[in-house]
Amino acid sequence: MRLGSYLPILDWGRRYNRQSLTSDLVAAVIVTIMLIPQSLAYALLAGLPPEVGLYASILPLIAYAIFGTSSALAVGPVAVISLMTASAVGKLAMEGTADYASAAIILALISGAMLTLMGLLRLGFLANFLSHPVISGFITASGLIIAMSQLGGLLGISTEGHALPGLLASIWENLSSINIYTLLIGGLALGLLLWIRLDLKNWLTRFGVPKSIATIIVRAGPVLVVFLTMALSVAFDLGSKGVALVGDVPQGLPMLSLPSFNLDTVQQLLMPALIISIVGFVESISVAQTLAAKRRERIEPNQELIGLGMSNIAAGIGGGYPVTGGFARSVVNFDAGAATPAAGAFTAIGIAGATLLLTPFLAVLPKATLAATIVLAVLTLVDFSVLKRAWAYSKADFAAVAITLVGTLLFGVEVGIALGVAASILIFLYRSSKPHAAVVGQVPGTEHFRNIKRHKVEIVPDILSLRIDESLYFANARYLEDLVTGLATENPGLKDVVLMCSAVNFIDMSALESLEAVEHRLRDLGIRLHLSEVKGPVMDKLAGTEFLEHLSGQVHLSQHGAIRSILAQRDLVPSGSGDCQDRVLEATTRQ
């Protein structure tokens, strides 16, 4: 395999030119402006010092530029992964301690190692275990939990817990301690951010500001709110009035190092790291593929696993915490014209510059501003319409959404996602345990066979044509056995049963034993069993068993050919005849 398949930078780097450089630099400036307040806010959401969010936005972006395949994906801290980090690490150490920060770094390293290994082993399909309904329910619930957790920051009270009951209880207990100055500065920040997002662009356009300039101003809006609230903090000495401030932030870039590994800590973080890895990958690959489709680019899922894995390893080495591709910043990166993954590397340089130059000024930044930033960001994640759509389309999918949503709200993110995955698997097993099967007949004038309950078809009364619409395996083997036997006993004059296997992609050992049991039961009833339209791989498996040797009937290339062959053997249709429709009607008349 070419080295370029593992290092995509070798491919796009050869085609890099001045136009790409210009596009990437412009996109990097815009995304950097957006990332600074977000990174600070998400670090606090994860229970970490704000500068850790900046650290997690430097080396991961460079690593993804080397190993990633998306030209627009922007990797860094995101709300859901930050919440999951807080939930996982909070069980091992007290927030604000060195052990807490060390556990977050270890979590990033484990997640990175898992993702990289999954990519090397080409296990991208594992993400398919998280169905879209489960992801929708999980993200909606997570958005609500995140918004609720930041309510304390907007009110100036402390909140505890990573699920809705604990958060509501802590808010209720501390309502009497609301700080009016925090409420005012938080409300101002939230109102300004909301206005910037919803109406500022239209307002600027009405005053003749070009749309491109207006877009840049809107993107820079959160930074302007940060500077405004910092100015108010200094002017009114909000710190002395009980308003929580970010405080001293270490100036300079993080030291590259690895934490001391404790085996017990690693063992306790393995499962959370796996969940974070899969959720992060699903979120990231969805964004990457959506944006790539607009440019007719190709995303390689297994290489994306490696890219995200190396990004998380870089986050751990650089003193950060787990990261993934964020939807909002990736869309901004795309809209700003990012041409290659180099835009992420330039963004990393911008964040590094901010870490060196701006951190001394962050000490006076009210935490309520960052709480407002998080609340506004996660409100876009909340989508209750998925419940209505799922209910209208599929009650089973609705159950998966509801179980995930309620489970996450009540018990936290890890339990919620586990319940969602379990619900999806159980629903799949339930559905496939009772596969759809239809008695079919021949559409007049054609060689097509369709469900007798849906179409006007013609049948031979003593031939049962049964189409199986599911692969056969242990969960549905007994159902098929009972179905065929029941239909056979309900039709006393039955002479032949043809199983139409056009939708059967595999037959496992349990299903094979059930087919053998069906064969024996039908033989005892004087009925022959036939198969039709068996796919090549399935036929190869059957050919290696004794089932075909004992089969009372035959395996036919098509359902039409099966009916024609059976009637020919009864001397009702001349062997080798063409369309047998008239003779099927004749046979029907003779019964």
Side-chain angles (χ1 to χ4, degrees), residues 60-307:
L61 285 165
I62 296 175
Y64 185 81
I66 297 172
F67 295 97
T69 61
S70 172
S71 62
L73 190 70
V75 173
V78 299
V80 173
I81 300 301
S82 297
L83 175 66
M84 296 177 74
T85 298
S87 176
V89 177
K91 298 174 183 176
L92 304 180
M94 184 72 67
E95 186 175 320
T97 63
D99 288 341
Y100 189 98
S102 178
I105 292 173
I106 293 173
L107 184 64
L109 293 170
I110 296 174
S111 177
M114 286 180 171
L115 286 164
T116 303
L117 183 61
M118 288 165 62
L120 293 173
L121 297 178
R122 310 189 73 77
L123 299 179
F125 69 89
L126 289 177
N128 296 334
F129 285 104
L130 289 180
S131 65
H132 184 265
V134 167
I135 287 293
S136 298
F138 174 73
I139 289 179
T140 294
S142 297
L144 290 172
I145 291 175
I146 292 169
M148 192 62 64
S149 70
Q150 297 308 300
L151 190 57
L154 292 174
L155 299 175
I157 60 177
S158 61
T159 56
E160 296 177 354
H162 299 293
L164 205 56
L167 287 168
L168 289 174
S170 64
I171 291 172
W172 177 257
E173 291 173 1
N174 295 295
L175 274 179
S176 59
S177 304
I178 291 177
N179 183 289
I180 187 64
Y181 296 100
T182 302
L183 178 60
L184 290 173
I185 200 71
L188 174 65
L190 187 60
L192 285 174
L193 289 170
L194 193 60
W195 174 69
I196 288 169
R197 173 172 292 188
L198 298 180
D199 196 48
L200 178 58
K201 188 173 182 179
N202 294 332
W203 188 80
L204 291 171
T205 303
R206 284 198 297 270
F207 281 89
V209 178
K211 285 189 177 181
S212 58
I213 303 298
T215 299
I216 293 175
I217 294 174
V218 170
R219 301 300 187 198
V223 175
L224 299 177
V225 173
V226 166
F227 285 136
L228 174 61
T229 54
M230 286 169 60
L232 292 174
S233 175
V234 173
F236 295 98
D237 192 17
L238 294 180
S240 66
K241 295 178 172 61
V243 176
L245 305 179
V246 168
D248 292 333
V249 177
Q251 187 175 8
L253 298 175
M255 297 293 293
L256 304 185
S257 62
L258 291 174
S260 57
F261 282 81
N262 179 287
L263 184 59
D264 183 57
T265 300
V266 172
Q267 289 176 340
Q268 293 184 65
L269 290 176
L270 284 176
M271 186 53 67
L274 178 61
I275 296 175
I276 286 173
S277 298
I278 295 178
V279 171
F281 174 64
V282 170
E283 180 177 354
S284 180
I285 197 68
S286 299
V287 175
Q289 289 179 334
T290 299
L291 298 179
K294 296 181 179 180
R295 292 181 176 174
R296 297 188 177 182
E297 295 175 347
R298 183 173 178 271
I299 297 298
E300 174 52 51
N302 290 306
Q303 183 59 35
E304 281 297 291
L305 281 168
I306 296 174

Side-chain angles (χ1 to χ4, degrees), residues 40 50-51 54-55 230 246-253 351-364:
L40 296 169
E51 67 271 13
L54 297 175
Y55 299 162
M230 286 169 60
V246 168
D248 292 333
V249 177
Q251 187 175 8
L253 298 175
I351 297 293
T355 306
L356 288 170
L357 302 175
L358 298 181
T359 48
F361 305 100
L362 295 175
V364 296

Side-chain angles (χ1 to χ4, degrees), residues 1 28 40 78 88 108 195 214 277 288 309 319 343 379 412 424 456 535:
M1 185 175 289
L40 296 169
V78 299
W195 174 69
S277 298
L379 285 179
S424 294
K456 283 183 129 183
K535 294 184 176 180

Side-chain angles (χ1 to χ4, degrees), residues 382-402:
V382 178
D383 179 19
F384 286 111
S385 66
V386 67
L387 290 168
K388 180 180 179 181
R389 296 196 306 272
W391 178 264
Y393 185 76
S394 167
K395 301 302 184 289
D397 286 334
F398 173 82
V401 175

Side-chain angles (χ1 to χ4, degrees), residues 279-561:
V279 171
F281 174 64
V282 170
E283 180 177 354
S284 180
I285 197 68
S286 299
V287 175
Q289 289 179 334
T290 299
L291 298 179
K294 296 181 179 180
R295 292 181 176 174
R296 297 188 177 182
E297 295 175 347
R298 183 173 178 271
I299 297 298
E300 174 52 51
N302 290 306
Q303 183 59 35
E304 281 297 291
L305 281 168
I306 296 174
L308 284 178
M310 297 306 295
S311 297
N312 276 278
I313 291 173
I317 294 174
Y321 68 100
V323 297
T324 191
F327 177 77
R329 68 174 66 104
S330 296
V331 171
V332 170
N333 200 33
F334 178 87
D335 290 341
T340 71
F346 295 140
T347 300
I349 295 173
I351 297 293
T355 306
L356 288 170
L357 302 175
L358 298 181
T359 48
F361 305 100
L362 295 175
V364 296
L365 174 63
K367 288 186 177 180
T369 302
L370 299 180
T373 301
I374 294 174
V375 169
L376 193 62
V378 300
L379 285 179
T380 59
L381 302 178
V382 178
D383 179 19
F384 286 111
S385 66
V386 67
L387 290 168
K388 180 180 179 181
R389 296 196 306 272
W391 178 264
Y393 185 76
S394 167
K395 301 302 184 289
D397 286 334
F398 173 82
V401 175
I403 289 172
T404 306
L405 194 153
V406 174
T408 303
L409 289 176
L410 295 182
F411 306 110
V413 291
E414 292 179 13
V415 175
I417 199 70
L419 287 173
V421 172
S424 294
I425 294 174
L426 288 175
I427 289 170
F428 167 76
L429 290 174
Y430 175 77
R431 283 172 170 169
S432 60
S433 68
K434 296 183 177 181
H436 181 266
V439 177
V440 296
Q442 190 168 0
V443 178
T446 74
E447 296 183 1
H448 300 296
F449 284 74
R450 294 293 184 268
N451 192 334
I452 63 172
K453 295 180 179 179
R454 294 178 178 271
H455 301 272
K456 283 183 129 183
V457 294
E458 296 168 334
I459 61 171
V460 180
D462 61 0
I463 300 177
L464 173 65
S465 295
L466 185 64
R467 190 187 69 221
I468 309 299
D469 295 333
E470 183 68 66
S471 294
L472 303 178
Y473 71 119
F474 65 91
N476 59 29
R478 181 57 63 89
Y479 178 83
L480 174 68
E481 188 177 333
D482 294 340
L483 176 64
V484 176
T485 304
L487 289 173
T489 53
E490 290 173 5
N491 294 273
L494 202 61
K495 295 181 180 178
D496 293 271
V497 171
V498 185
L499 297 184
M500 187 175 173
C501 302
S502 53
V504 178
N505 294 316
F506 69 89
I507 298 175
D508 76 354
M509 196 92 175
S510 298
L512 177 62
E513 292 176 357
S514 287
L515 283 177
E516 291 172 343
V518 169
E519 161 64 24
H520 290 311
R521 292 185 186 182
L522 293 181
R523 188 188 294 269
D524 291 342
L525 293 172
I527 301 171
R528 294 187 302 171
L529 175 65
H530 307 260
L531 304 180
S532 74
E533 302 187 18
V534 181
K535 294 184 176 180
V538 178
M539 193 64 190
D540 292 340
K541 287 289 187 182
L542 294 178
T545 70
E546 296 181 356
F547 173 71
L548 297 181
E549 298 177 11
H550 300 149
L551 188 64
S552 55
Q554 296 175 306
V555 179
H556 304 273
L557 188 62
S558 68
Q559 186 68 18
H560 176 260

